[in-house]
Amino acid sequence: GVRLVGSEMCIRDSPSIALSYQLIIRAEPIALVLATIRSLLAIKEVNDEIIIIDNNHTQRELYEPLADFCDTLDDALHVHFYHIDAVEGFKAGALNLALGLMNPNCSHIVVVDSDYQALPKAREAIVAAIDEYPTHALLQFPQFYRDAGRADIHSELNHYFNYHLYRDFNSERALSTGTYAVIRRRALLDIGGWSGASITEDAQMGVLMHRMGLQSRFIPKVIATGVLPNTFCDLIAQRQRWV
């Protein structure tokens, strides 16, 4: 199955690789988002950037503390926070904003969900994958969960990564599953950016890339952990969205 990236990993960084971590959030718990931002700050290199786009709500008490935190950071860290009350095109609309705002010198985008905290060796694993598959448009890392005592839900969700994507045929044709998708910026621009025609913009992006003859790859290394849906209603809402 997928494995955690251990402390034994040591690779030589590629100077041409600069990453744009793009965190798209909507009315999320402040502490959760701050923990995710801090985990990215712990792994980023000097030429990387972090773009946070909080969108489609007007609850100032949920975004102003995040904006204040980002304002306290050194400009040299390249952390940029934006709040937009209304964005069209579902999550794709916010991702397209990030695409337009990102530093064009960043070679790859790393999509990050609000609850997905990067593990200490995450960037090294990303760079290693890019070095191994330099012409691939999409490198998808697995989703993994840090919740204790919820093995049944965790196991059911992980079936996709531990069985389906682990097969050679599928791993070479991976669609994006959202968070910790590593996307070559030029390839995303070539397909016209993110499509707002679907609320599963991640999978649709993968389909469009393959239609154009671009390549993708599943990378079976856990480099970040998230949080499972908290209630049965949340779980059902998640599945309805995916369907």
Side-chain angles (χ1 to χ4, degrees):
V2 295
R3 68 175 181 88
L4 294 171
V5 176
S7 59
E8 79 284 353
M9 177 177 288
C10 181
I11 63 169
R12 179 170 51 85
D13 202 348
S14 297
S16 62
I17 295 174
L19 304 177
S20 176
Y21 299 96
Q22 299 186 358
L23 178 58
I24 309 300
I25 60 176
R26 178 182 177 274
E28 307 290 352
I30 296 168
L32 185 73
V33 179
L34 286 175
T36 297
I37 295 172
R38 289 190 175 103
S39 76
L40 296 174
L41 288 169
I43 65 167
K44 74 179 293 295
E45 292 293 336
V46 64
N47 291 327
D48 298 341
E49 67 177 4
I50 301 172
I51 295 178
I52 305 121
I53 295 189
D54 179 76
N55 68 102
N56 284 341
H57 75 96
T58 58
Q59 299 176 65
R60 301 174 72 92
E61 68 276 13
L62 288 179
Y63 70 81
E64 287 186 343
L66 298 174
D68 292 341
F69 171 78
C70 293
D71 283 343
T72 68
L73 299 174
D74 192 318
D75 289 345
L77 291 171
H78 307 298
V79 178
H80 310 288
F81 181 91
Y82 305 90
H83 171 81
I84 301 96
D85 286 352
V87 177
E88 294 184 357
F90 308 108
K91 185 177 179 179
L95 284 165
N96 278 326
L97 282 177
L99 179 61
L101 290 166
M102 71 179 285
N103 184 343
N105 292 325
C106 288
S107 56
H108 290 75
I109 294 156
V110 183
V111 180
V112 181
D113 280 356
S114 63
D115 59 322
Y116 261 82
Q117 297 176 19
L119 294 175
K121 300 295 182 178
R123 191 185 190 279
E124 292 183 16
I126 290 170
V127 170
I130 293 171
D131 281 341
E132 186 173 0
Y133 304 103
T135 63
H136 278 48
L138 166 67
L139 302 171
Q140 179 62 59
F141 287 84
Q143 295 179 12
F144 201 81
Y145 303 93
R146 58 182 177 269
D147 306 69
R150 307 181 70 189
D152 289 345
I153 300 177
H154 191 168
S155 176
E156 184 262 331
L157 285 166
N158 254 351
H159 179 269
Y160 180 74
F161 296 103
N162 278 326
Y163 175 73
H164 176 78
L165 275 180
Y166 227 81
R167 301 169 69 186
D168 287 343
F169 181 88
N170 296 327
S171 68
E172 295 174 1
R173 295 160 181 82
L175 303 183
S176 174
T177 55
T179 195
Y180 282 86
V182 179
I183 306 156
R184 192 154 50 83
R185 176 179 177 270
R186 184 68 258 167
L188 186 56
L189 290 172
D190 286 345
I191 67 168
W194 300 88
S195 172
S198 168
I199 60 172
T200 51
E201 75 295 323
D202 43 12
Q204 183 167 358
M205 175 198 66
V207 171
L208 293 174
M209 284 181 169
H210 280 279
R211 279 184 179 175
M212 291 184 62
L214 300 171
Q215 292 178 291
S216 67
R217 183 85 187 190
F218 172 59
I219 310 296
K221 297 174 184 175
V222 175
I223 62 172
T225 60
V227 177
L228 289 165
N230 291 320
T231 67
F232 181 70
C233 288
D234 289 342
L235 186 69
I236 293 300
Q238 180 191 64
R239 295 308 201 282
Q240 287 177 329
R241 185 173 69 251
W242 289 351
V243 169

